[in-house]
Amino acid sequence: MSLRERIDAEIKAAMKSKDKVRLETVRGIKKFILEKEVSLRPSGQDTLTEAQEMEILMQIAKQRRDSIEQYRKGGRQDLVAQEEAELAIVEEYLPPQMSDEEVSQVVDEVIASVGATSAKDMGKVMGKAMQQLKGKADGNRIQDMVKAKLSQ
């Protein structure tokens, strides 16, 4: 089942169960997918690849995390709760996130493979680490881990 078919089924199920938060969140995901498909039509591509779909989902999840952080700073717990609920729904479509230990292991391997020794090498490490961990770990988490390891 493609992501689009899965989303259509989720919309129907949310409408039947009257789950307003799920319905709005899944409709939002569908909106982003449709917008991306429309933007790609001039290049001759009718449907999104799995990687493009994953990119959209990761972008939506990142927006939610950023919003949660901003709402916390602003003391808006009501909006934090809403964004967290929506983030949980978006994360259902993403692959399972790697644990800190698994991410640390990959970062160590990347550091060794590029021969990084200081914070000056952060760009090399981040590029390769993000390629390997795309969709499996949050970019900010990876960045924090790389910074910590290269500043030791």
Side-chain angles (χ1 to χ4, degrees):
M1 177 183 285
S2 73
L3 178 63
R4 194 159 177 187
E5 292 169 345
R6 185 174 166 200
I7 287 174
D8 287 339
E10 286 277 333
I11 288 173
K12 289 176 189 172
M15 286 168 52
K16 286 179 183 176
S17 67
K18 295 182 179 23
D19 186 345
K20 189 175 179 181
V21 174
R22 179 171 287 278
L23 178 62
E24 288 177 10
T25 304
V26 177
R27 277 185 175 160
I29 294 170
K30 184 174 182 177
K31 180 186 110 189
F32 276 103
I33 289 172
L34 290 173
E35 286 174 357
K36 184 72 170 181
E37 285 177 348
V38 168
S39 72
L40 292 175
R41 281 189 190 143
S43 66
Q45 185 178 350
D46 288 340
T47 59
L48 298 176
T49 64
E50 215 171 291
Q52 289 169 323
E53 291 173 345
M54 197 59 50
E55 215 172 276
I56 290 169
L57 291 170
M58 289 181 347
Q59 178 185 1
I60 294 169
K62 183 180 183 334
Q63 287 173 345
R64 295 288 187 269
R65 286 187 197 101
D66 291 345
S67 295
I68 290 168
E69 185 179 322
Q70 292 300 316
Y71 291 145
R72 277 202 176 111
K73 286 180 184 175
R76 294 291 311 266
Q77 282 307 115
D78 56 329
L79 295 174
V80 168
Q82 178 183 345
E83 290 290 327
E84 285 176 339
E86 291 176 7
L87 177 61
I89 293 167
V90 171
E91 287 178 338
E92 291 174 14
Y93 296 97
L94 290 169
Q97 297 291 297
M98 295 175 80
S99 69
D100 284 342
E101 295 81 31
E102 292 169 321
V103 173
S104 178
Q105 183 179 359
V106 171
V107 169
D108 287 339
E109 290 169 7
V110 170
I111 289 172
S113 73
V114 298
T117 55
S118 69
K120 292 179 186 175
D121 301 318
M122 187 159 170
K124 292 183 213 171
V125 175
M126 281 301 295
K128 197 163 183 181
M130 288 303 289
Q131 282 180 339
Q132 291 184 14
L133 297 169
K134 190 168 190 118
K136 299 174 187 170
D138 179 53
N140 290 334
R141 205 168 111 207
I142 297 168
Q143 183 180 17
D144 293 342
M145 205 168 286
V146 171
K147 273 183 189 175
K149 290 182 181 290
L150 291 178
S151 64
Q152 290 177 353

